[in-house]
C-alpha cells in the first residue's frame, strides 16, 4: 500500500491544532493530549494512511513521550503525582490477553500444517446428512466450531475449498449455491465469538475488563458465548434457506478430499494431543489456578520442541494483528494514566442517569456494528471499548455486570458486522469466489447482525 505523505501531514497538523484549542478551553494538559491521541488513532484506523499496526505503535510512542516524559520536559510533568514509567505503556504489547491470542495463533498454525482442521471438517460434515439443508447446516456448524480456535480467514478459505466439489454437481442457476457460499463466511464470523481467542475484539474486551479488575476466564466466556453462537448459526442457516431456497429436492452425496498423511502420523497425533491438552487447561483454569495467558505459552514451547513447527512457521504468524490489538490496550492504559476517564465522567455526570443504561448499551452496540461494517472490527473495538468504562461507571456505579455487558456487547456487535464484502476478511474471500452479488450479502448479513444485537439487549435484561 503506497503511503501519501500530504494527508498524513495534514492530519498531524490538525491534531496539533486540536491540542492547542483544548488548552485554550482550560482542559487539563494530560487530558488534552489523550483526546488528541485518541482522535488521531481514530482517523488513522478509519482512513488507513498507514497500516493499522503502525498506528498502534504510534499510540504507544506518543503516550510514552507525553505521559512517561523520558525527555524530562517541565511542560509534560504531571501536576499531581509522578509521571508513569515507560514500562506501564509498553506492557500493552506483552499483555496476558495478547499472549493468549498468540497461543491461539500457534495452535491454528499447527492444525493447518498437520491437516487436523481438515480431518475434523471431513468427519463432522458427513454426519449431518446429504439433503441440501443438512449439508448447509453441516458446513456452517463445522466452520463455526473451527473458527472458535483458529483464524476466521483461514477457516473460511479451507471450508470454501472443501465446498468446491459440491459446486461442481450443483446446477449453475441453483439458488442454493448462494446459501452455501454465504453460509461459510457468516458461520466463521459468528464462530469467532465463541472463545476469547476466536476474534481480536474478544481479546480487546477481556484485556480492558481486566484493567478494571474484572477477570473473565476462558470457560466462563464460552459458557455464555457458545449458546449464542449456536442460536445465531441456526438463525443464519434458517434465513439463508428462506432467501435462497433450493429448486426441487437436492441430494448432495460427495466425497471430500482427505488430508495428506492421514491421522496416523506422528505430527498429527502430537498436534491433536497438545491441542486437546491446552483446551482442557483453559477450561479448568478455576481448578488449577494457572492463568489462560500462561497456559497459552505451552503450544509455543511444545510445537517447536516436538518438531511440529519451525522458525519459518513462527515467523509467518500474524504478528501485525497482535500489534493492532496492543493499540487498543494502550488506549485503555492512556485513558487511565491521563485522568481522561475521570474527567470524561465528570463532564457527562449531569446528563447521564441510570434510566439511560439500556439506551447507552444500545447506542454503543449500534455504533460498533456500523463502524465494523466499513472498517476493521478490531479497530472499531479499540476505539469504543475504552469509552465504555467511564460511561458505565456514571450510569450504574459499582455494577460490574453492566460494565461486562457493555464491553461484551461492543465486541459481539463488531464481530457480527457482515453485510458487506469489506466488513470482514471471510466476507471478502467469499465475494472473491463469485456467485452472488453484494445485495445478496446485505439482505442476509444485515438481519443476522441485527438479530445478534437483539440477543445482546435480551442478555441485558436476563443478567442484570
Amino acid at each position: 500500500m503506497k503511503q501519501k505523505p500530504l494527508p498524513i501531514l495534514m492530519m498531524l497538523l490538525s491534531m496539533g491544532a486540536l491540542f492547542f484549542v483544548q488548552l485554550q478551553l482550560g482542559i487539563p494538559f494530560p487530558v488534552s493530549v489523550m483526546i488528541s491521541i485518541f482522535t488521531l488513532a481514530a482517523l488513522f484506523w478509519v482512513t488507513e494512511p498507514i497500516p493499522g499496526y503502525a498506528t498502534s505503535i504510534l499510540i504507544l510512542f506518543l503516550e510514552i513521550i507525553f505521559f512517561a516524559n523520558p525527555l524530562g520536559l517541565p511542560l509534560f510533568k504531571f501536576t499531581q503525582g509522578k509521571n508513569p514509567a515507560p514500562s506501564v505503556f509498553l506492557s500493552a504489547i506483552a499483555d496476558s490477553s495478547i499472549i493468549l491470542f498468540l497461543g491461539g495463533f500457534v495452535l491454528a498454525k499447527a492444525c493447518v500444517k498437520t491437516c487436523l482442521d481438515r480431518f475434523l471438517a471431513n468427519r463432522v460434515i458427513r454426519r449431518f446428512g446429504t439433503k441440501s439443508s443438512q449439508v448447509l447446516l453441516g458446513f456452517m456448524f463445522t466452520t463455526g466450531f473451527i473458527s472458535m480456535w483458529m483464524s476466521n480467514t483461514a477457516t473460511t478459505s479451507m471450508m470454501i475449498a472443501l465446498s468446491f466439489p459440491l459446486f461442481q454437481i450443483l446446477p449453475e442457476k441453483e439458488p442454493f449455491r448462494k446459501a452455501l457460499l454465504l453460509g461459510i463466511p457468516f458461520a466463521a464470523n459468528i464462530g469467532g465469538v465463541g472463545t476469547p481467542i476466536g476474534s481480536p475484539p474478544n481479546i480487546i474486551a477481556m484485556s480492558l475488563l481486566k484493567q478494571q479488575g474484572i477477570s473473565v476466564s476462558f470457560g466462563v466466556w464460552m459458557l455464555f458465548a457458545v449458546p449464542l453462537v449456536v442460536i445465531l448459526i441456526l438463525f443464519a442457516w434458517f434465513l439463508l434457506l428462506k432467501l435462497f431456497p433450493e429448486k426441487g429436492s437436492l441430494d448432495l452425496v460427495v466425497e471430500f478430499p482427505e488430508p495428506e498423511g492421514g491421522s496416523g502420523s506422528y505430527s498429527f497425533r502430537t498436534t491433536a494431543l497438545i491441542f486437546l491438552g491446552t483446551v482442557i487447561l483453559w477450561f479448568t483454569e478455576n481448578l488449577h489456578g494457572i492463568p489462560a495467558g500462561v497456559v497459552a505459552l505451552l503450544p509455543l514451547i511444545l510445537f517447536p520442541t516436538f518438531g511440529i513447527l519451525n522458525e519459518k512457521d513462527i515467523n509467518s504468524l500474524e504478528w501485525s494483528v497482535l500489534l493492532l490489538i496492543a493499540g487498543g490496550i494502550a488506549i485503555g492504559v492512556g485513558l487511565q494514566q491521563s485522568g481522561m476517564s475521570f474527567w470524561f465522567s465528570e463532564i457527562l455526570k449531569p446528563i447521564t442517569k441510570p434510566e439511560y443504561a439500556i439506551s447507552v448499551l444500545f447506542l454503543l452496540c449500534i455504533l460498533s456494528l456500523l463502524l465494523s461494517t466499513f472498517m476493521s472490527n478490531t479497530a472499531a473495538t479499540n476505539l469504543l471499548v475504552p469509552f465504555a468504562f467511564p460511561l458505565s461507571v456514571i450510569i450504574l456505579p459499582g455494577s460490574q455486570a453492566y460494565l461486562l455487558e457493555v464491553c461484551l456487547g461492543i465486541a459481539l456487535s463488531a464481530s457480527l458486522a457482515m453485510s458487506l464484502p469489506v466488513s470482514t476478511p471471510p466476507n471478502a474471500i467469499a465475494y472473491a469466489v463469485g456467485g452472488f452479488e453484494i445485495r445478496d450479502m446485505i439482505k442476509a448479513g444485515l438481519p443476522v447482525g441485527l438479530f445478534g444485537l437483539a440477543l445482546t439487549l435480551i442478555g441485558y435484561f436476563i443478567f442484570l
Side-chain angles (χ1 to χ4, degrees), residues 299-314:
L300 283 163
I301 300 170
L302 296 177
F303 284 127
T305 300
F306 288 99
I308 308 298
L309 298 180
N310 53 37
E311 185 176 354
K312 183 178 179 181
D313 296 320
I314 299 300

Side-chain angles (χ1 to χ4, degrees), residues 7-326:
I8 296 175
L9 181 60
M10 292 296 293
M11 281 189 274
L12 291 174
L13 291 175
S14 298
M15 290 307 99
L18 173 64
F19 171 70
F20 285 108
V21 168
Q22 292 176 87
L23 291 182
Q24 294 299 316
L25 294 175
I27 298 175
F29 177 82
V31 175
S32 300
V33 170
M34 194 60 220
I35 290 176
S36 299
I37 291 175
F38 179 86
T39 307
L40 182 66
L43 285 173
F44 274 30
W45 274 329
V46 171
T47 61
E48 290 190 321
I50 61 176
Y53 65 86
T55 298
S56 293
I57 297 173
L58 177 62
I59 292 168
L60 285 167
F61 176 78
L62 293 176
E63 287 182 347
I64 291 172
I65 292 298
F66 285 100
F67 297 144
N69 191 20
L71 299 175
L73 299 178
L75 179 64
F76 297 169
K77 288 184 178 179
F78 282 15
T79 55
Q80 296 180 350
K82 189 178 179 182
N83 287 62
S87 58
V88 172
F89 303 97
L90 290 173
S91 63
I93 298 178
D95 187 89
S96 60
S97 298
I98 289 185
I99 303 301
L100 175 60
F101 210 63
L102 175 60
F105 279 168
V106 174
L107 282 177
K109 177 66 70 173
C111 288
V112 171
K113 188 173 182 178
T114 60
C115 294
L116 176 60
D117 55 345
R118 183 181 290 267
F119 177 83
L120 292 174
N122 286 337
R123 295 302 182 276
V124 174
I125 292 174
R126 292 169 180 164
R127 296 184 180 275
F128 279 82
T130 59
K131 292 183 178 180
S132 59
S133 59
Q134 295 170 338
V135 170
L136 176 61
L137 188 62
F139 264 94
M140 292 183 70
F141 266 116
T142 305
T143 303
F145 174 77
I146 295 176
S147 68
M148 290 182 185
W149 310 101
M150 59 183 286
S151 161
N152 297 347
T153 306
T155 303
T156 302
S157 298
M158 180 193 70
M159 296 303 293
I160 286 181
L162 278 179
S163 70
F164 281 154
L166 294 178
F167 289 117
Q168 292 175 0
I169 64 176
L170 283 170
E172 188 174 347
K173 299 295 183 181
E174 170 58 50
F176 180 73
R177 297 170 67 98
K178 294 182 179 180
L180 183 59
L181 199 52
L182 287 171
I184 291 173
F186 285 4
N189 295 327
I190 295 169
V193 174
T195 65
I197 63 172
S199 179
N202 302 355
I203 286 293
I204 295 167
M206 279 188 66
S207 175
L208 295 180
L209 282 168
K210 192 174 181 180
Q211 290 180 13
Q212 302 298 314
I214 304 174
S215 180
V216 182
S217 70
F218 204 97
V220 169
W221 180 288
M222 291 192 68
L223 181 66
F224 291 100
V226 171
L228 187 62
V229 168
V230 173
I231 294 172
L232 284 170
I233 287 180
L234 287 173
F235 176 80
W237 169 71
F238 178 80
L239 180 65
L240 288 170
L241 289 177
K242 290 297 181 183
L243 291 175
F244 311 106
E246 62 182 358
K247 291 182 179 179
S249 180
L250 300 175
D251 194 39
L252 303 176
V253 181
V254 64
E255 286 294 323
F256 298 109
E258 280 289 326
E260 296 180 6
S263 59
S265 66
Y266 162 80
S267 59
F268 183 94
R269 292 185 176 183
T270 304
T271 299
L273 185 61
I274 295 174
F275 185 97
L276 183 61
T278 303
V279 172
I280 290 174
L281 288 173
W282 275 335
F283 267 115
T284 56
E285 179 182 344
N286 292 332
L287 296 179
H288 53 68
I290 303 175
V294 177
V295 172
L297 293 173
L298 289 177
L300 283 163
I301 300 170
L302 296 177
F303 284 127
T305 300
F306 288 99
I308 308 298
L309 298 180
N310 53 37
E311 185 176 354
K312 183 178 179 181
D313 296 320
I314 299 300
N315 289 339
S316 67
L317 296 176
E318 299 177 72
W319 296 99
S320 61
V321 175
L322 299 179
L323 290 175
L324 182 57
I325 296 172

Side-chain angles (χ1 to χ4, degrees), residues 335-354:
L335 289 175
Q336 286 184 322
Q337 297 297 327
S338 66
M340 182 177 169
S341 293
F342 177 77
W343 177 84
F344 189 61
S345 301
E346 292 297 312
I347 293 294
L348 293 181
K349 188 176 292 185
I351 60 173
T352 310
K353 300 177 182 178

